[in-house]
Amino acid sequence: MSGIEVTGPKIMFEIPILGGITITETVVWSWCIIGVVFLLCLVLTHKLEKVPVKKTQQIAEKLVITMDSLVESSMGKNHMGYVPYIMALFTMSLFGSLISLLGLRPVTADINTTMSWAILTFLLIQFNGIKNKGIKGYLKGFVEPIPLLLPINIISEFSTPLSMGFRHFGNIAAGTIITSLVYGALAGLSSMVFGGLQIPVFQAGLPAVLSLYFDLFTAGLQAFIFCMLTMVFIANNDS
């Protein structure tokens, strides 16, 4: 198990302004994902027609219809304006986790990524509450059903982004760590069994199964859960 090292995102380079701004691999891979998604959107929406014939347009319309349906069923028709945000959140979360299949460190394994999404969602929750209840009604909600619960209601409100951010980060980071430990253990086992043979025989097979679970299933599940919690919390702040 020696040689296994679990660290945070590596620093790729530093911008020599304001005392030095460090740019980690999380930032670099995030911008790469944004670029890929942008190009994908251009391909899927190129030369749109009223009657979709091309496969790319059919795929694009299917994705939009699916997301519209999900938001409508979860938040109601009066919240359809949140569709672009939920779609962007799901896409970034999914791709941000799936880049591990390319041997890159998932951006969702960085607490800064998931917590920034959670804070943005938290701000939208408060905005929606003020928009629908007014300032007076919004503040009144903190002392309901009795004023004695004011501290608990405040803690409950601010625990929302913390739980969302740490849940997403914890699941992806745990999968990354477990996979690294298994790879290291299997490499050690290969060395013990086959002696001087420098081929990690036992690393073939099992890691692929783990990758299928942690990289594919967990990535999709965590993206879906994060988006569902976002929709539920925002919609529930209507009344």
Side-chain angles (χ1 to χ4, degrees):
M1 298 292 288
S2 61
I4 298 178
E5 184 179 2
V6 179
T7 62
K10 298 177 182 178
I11 297 177
M12 304 291 281
F13 58 92
E14 183 176 295
I15 301 177
I17 58 173
L18 301 176
I21 300 177
T22 56
I23 304 298
T24 66
E25 55 185 328
T26 296
V27 177
V28 174
W29 302 148
S30 294
W31 278 104
C32 288
I33 292 172
I34 292 173
V36 170
V37 172
F38 176 72
L39 292 176
L40 185 61
C41 290
L42 290 180
V43 172
L44 293 177
T45 58
H46 181 63
K47 293 184 179 180
L48 296 178
E49 301 173 337
K50 291 185 177 180
V51 179
V53 177
K54 299 183 298 182
K55 287 292 183 180
T56 52
Q57 183 175 342
Q58 292 174 0
I59 293 174
E61 292 190 5
K62 181 64 177 178
L63 291 174
V64 172
I65 291 173
T66 300
M67 187 56 64
D68 283 346
S69 177
L70 179 62
V71 173
E72 182 178 347
S73 61
S74 302
M75 305 179 71
K77 290 185 178 181
N78 57 320
H79 289 98
M80 295 304 290
Y82 286 99
V83 172
Y85 174 67
I86 300 299
M87 186 68 174
L89 196 60
F90 182 85
T91 303
M92 283 300 298
S93 176
L94 183 63
F95 280 72
S97 298
L98 289 180
I99 61 172
S100 59
L101 292 172
L102 302 176
L104 305 176
R105 191 178 193 278
V107 301
T108 47
D110 187 339
I111 187 63
N112 295 294
T113 300
T114 58
M115 194 57 69
S116 63
W117 296 343
I119 291 174
L120 181 56
T121 291
F122 173 76
L123 294 177
L124 288 176
I125 293 172
Q126 308 314 310
F127 169 78
N128 193 62
I130 295 173
K131 178 183 177 182
N132 289 283
K133 303 175 186 177
I135 293 291
K136 184 177 180 180
Y138 169 77
L139 295 176
K140 183 180 178 182
F142 286 98
V143 295
E144 293 179 345
I146 56 175
L148 186 63
L149 294 179
L150 175 62
I152 297 178
N153 287 335
I154 293 177
I155 293 174
S156 175
E157 197 72 24
F158 281 92
S159 66
T160 296
L162 291 176
S163 63
M164 291 180 66
F166 278 111
R167 179 188 292 109
H168 197 344
F169 158 75
N171 280 280
I172 301 301
T176 302
I177 293 172
I178 291 173
T179 302
S180 298
L181 291 175
V182 170
Y183 265 96
L186 292 177
L189 181 61
S190 298
S191 180
M192 289 174 57
V193 174
F194 298 100
L197 187 62
Q198 299 299 316
I199 301 177
V201 178
F202 291 115
Q203 283 189 346
L206 180 58
V209 176
L210 289 176
S211 179
L212 183 65
Y213 175 78
F214 289 118
D215 294 335
L216 292 179
F217 177 74
T218 303
L221 181 63
Q222 291 306 314
F224 178 75
I225 291 176
F226 197 92
C227 289
M228 284 301 300
L229 289 175
T230 296
M231 291 186 287
V232 169
F233 285 137
I234 292 176
N236 283 350
N237 219 22
D238 281 351
S239 57

